Amino acid sequence: MDDPETVSAPDCPDDHPLLFARVLDGVGAGRPLEWAEARKWQPSQPGEVLWVHLCRNRPGVMEWLEQLDIPEPTRELLVSDRTRPRAFREGNTLVATLRGINFNPGAEPEDMLSMQLWCDGTRLLTLRRLPLQTPRRVLAMIDRREAGPTDAGALITELTEAMINRMNRSIVDMNEHIDELEEAEADDDAEEMLEKIAIIRRNCLGLKRHMGPMHEALEAISKYAPPWFEEHDRREIAESIDRLRRYLEDLDISKESAVVLMDDIRGRSIARNEQATYLLTIVAGIFLPLGFITGLLGINVGGMPGVDDGDAFWIVVALCAGILAVQLALFWKWKWL
């Protein structure tokens, strides 16, 4: 299967990298710009912020980043496939790589998608390869004029908060699956249940592998962001960090619950197998002496007693019944039954 980060997005334009651009008016709304306008944009009044969302593998990205005087190592980072979450300050700019859960059709929860971010307080650039629903959600808030972000710091905190909130959806789904498996009947298909639990454990490990560095990246934003990232923005990021920490703890609990449930299912399966083996052993123990007697009396040699006696058959039946009764009594006394 292709890596989600190495496949081109179907919704990216062919002739330019722009997915959308908005100029925030400082009161929670914004106006759209085309690619040519976004490249030439300059603030016309105090408080205006340009948000440009780009498809990072389309022509024109590197050229525009160079026009913005972004250092070459940072330009390479913004368009690269090295998507481990991180964040750092570079002069008066903030650079970050964040990861969100892939909710595209056919994706698994552990398939995380990256979003690179660069901001100088006046321009915010976000770049991705495959479709991300988080920027579209924030864009809808701006277009509906429903108290959207008013500045660059608020826009960054809104994006990170929306990205983290969507992680909770996968964690809740996994917990619901675990609850369903815990409530399942003991006689259900153990192999199928173990396979489902193994998938949940893989998802937990995959999410934690990406969410741990995400936690470190948000802490770096909170500590080292430039002055235009205001105090209330840092408080919002701190809330997102706490929420992400709780999600990591929930993942640990989900993973532990999956392990306990897996051990319980395996234990029940082993107990059922041992019970079946025990019953077969009891049956074999009962029929072993009976089989010996009937085999001995069934040999075809001269001198067999009772050959000419019409009551010999019933005597043998009574003898077998007596032996069976003695065996059952002994098994009961020895607590084998």
Side-chain angles (χ1 to χ4, degrees), residues 277-327:
T277 303
Y278 175 73
L279 292 175
L280 290 174
T281 303
I282 293 296
V283 171
I286 290 174
F287 283 96
L288 181 62
L290 300 179
F292 172 75
I293 292 175
T294 55
L296 179 62
L297 296 178
I299 58 178
N300 190 18
V301 295
M304 287 298 298
V307 174
D308 298 325
D309 189 349
D311 296 327
F313 171 77
W314 298 109
I315 294 174
V316 173
V317 171
L319 178 62
C320 290
I323 294 175
L324 177 61
V326 172
Q327 284 184 299

Side-chain angles (χ1 to χ4, degrees), residues 22-30 46-51 117 119-124 138 142 147-159 227-234 236:
R22 294 293 185 274
V23 176
L24 305 187
D25 58 10
V27 293
E48 280 192 343
V49 174
L50 173 65
W51 177 24
L117 179 152
C119 185
D120 62 359
T122 303
R123 289 180 177 84
L124 171 63
V138 178
I142 296 172
T150 58
D151 56 27
L155 182 53
I156 292 173
T157 58
E158 193 70 45
L159 286 168
W228 51 261
F229 200 80
E230 300 176 4
E231 189 61 32
H232 66 87
D233 298 323
R234 299 179 194 273
E236 291 292 334

Side-chain angles (χ1 to χ4, degrees), residues 1 12 23 25 79 82 89 101 125 137 163 181 209 219 230 233-234 245 270-271 275 283 286 313 322 324:
M1 185 177 67
C12 287
V23 176
D25 58 10
V79 299
R82 293 176 294 175
R89 177 178 175 178
I101 291 179
L125 277 61
R137 178 184 175 189
M163 189 173 290
L181 292 172
R209 185 174 67 250
E219 286 187 332
E230 300 176 4
D233 298 323
R234 299 179 194 273
R245 185 180 298 115
I270 291 173
Q275 181 68 19
V283 171
I286 290 174
F313 171 77
L324 177 61

Side-chain angles (χ1 to χ4, degrees), residues 1 4 101-113 130 170 203:
M1 185 177 67
I101 291 179
N102 187 356
F103 286 103
N104 294 320
E108 295 294 334
E110 74 270 20
D111 293 337
M112 307 284 282
L113 297 178
L130 285 181
S170 287
N203 290 342

Side-chain angles (χ1 to χ4, degrees), residues 103-234:
F103 286 103
N104 294 320
E108 295 294 334
E110 74 270 20
D111 293 337
M112 307 284 282
L113 297 178
S114 67
M115 182 180 73
Q116 280 88 346
L117 179 152
W118 179 93
C119 185
D120 62 359
T122 303
R123 289 180 177 84
L124 171 63
L125 277 61
T126 54
L127 305 95
R128 58 80 164 163
R129 185 180 293 273
L130 285 181
L132 271 171
Q133 298 183 26
T134 300
R136 295 288 179 179
R137 178 184 175 189
V138 178
L139 176 66
M141 293 175 57
I142 296 172
D143 290 345
R144 289 197 299 264
R145 300 176 179 270
E146 53 175 42
T150 58
D151 56 27
L155 182 53
I156 292 173
T157 58
E158 193 70 45
L159 286 168
T160 56
E161 183 176 357
M163 189 173 290
I164 291 172
N165 285 339
R166 294 185 68 83
M167 293 179 181
N168 188 42
R169 171 177 159 186
S170 287
I171 297 174
V172 170
D173 287 344
M174 284 191 292
N175 289 336
E176 289 178 351
H177 286 308
I178 292 175
D179 292 340
E180 291 174 0
L181 292 172
E182 288 177 342
E183 295 172 0
E185 296 293 334
D187 295 333
D188 288 349
D189 188 354
E191 291 298 327
E192 182 180 354
M193 295 177 68
L194 289 174
E195 183 178 352
K196 292 179 179 178
I197 295 173
I199 293 174
I200 292 174
R201 291 185 65 188
R202 285 197 300 270
N203 290 342
C204 287
L205 291 173
L207 288 174
K208 190 170 182 179
R209 185 174 67 250
H210 297 300
M211 290 171 65
M214 181 78 165
H215 183 271
E216 297 173 2
L218 295 185
E219 286 187 332
I221 293 175
S222 177
K223 292 178 181 178
Y224 307 121
W228 51 261
F229 200 80
E230 300 176 4
E231 189 61 32
H232 66 87
D233 298 323
R234 299 179 194 273

Side-chain angles (χ1 to χ4, degrees), residues 278 282 325-337:
Y278 175 73
I282 293 296
V326 172
Q327 284 184 299
L328 293 177
L330 290 175
F331 288 171
W332 183 267
K333 180 180 178 180
W334 295 336
K335 297 182 179 180
W336 291 4
L337 294 176

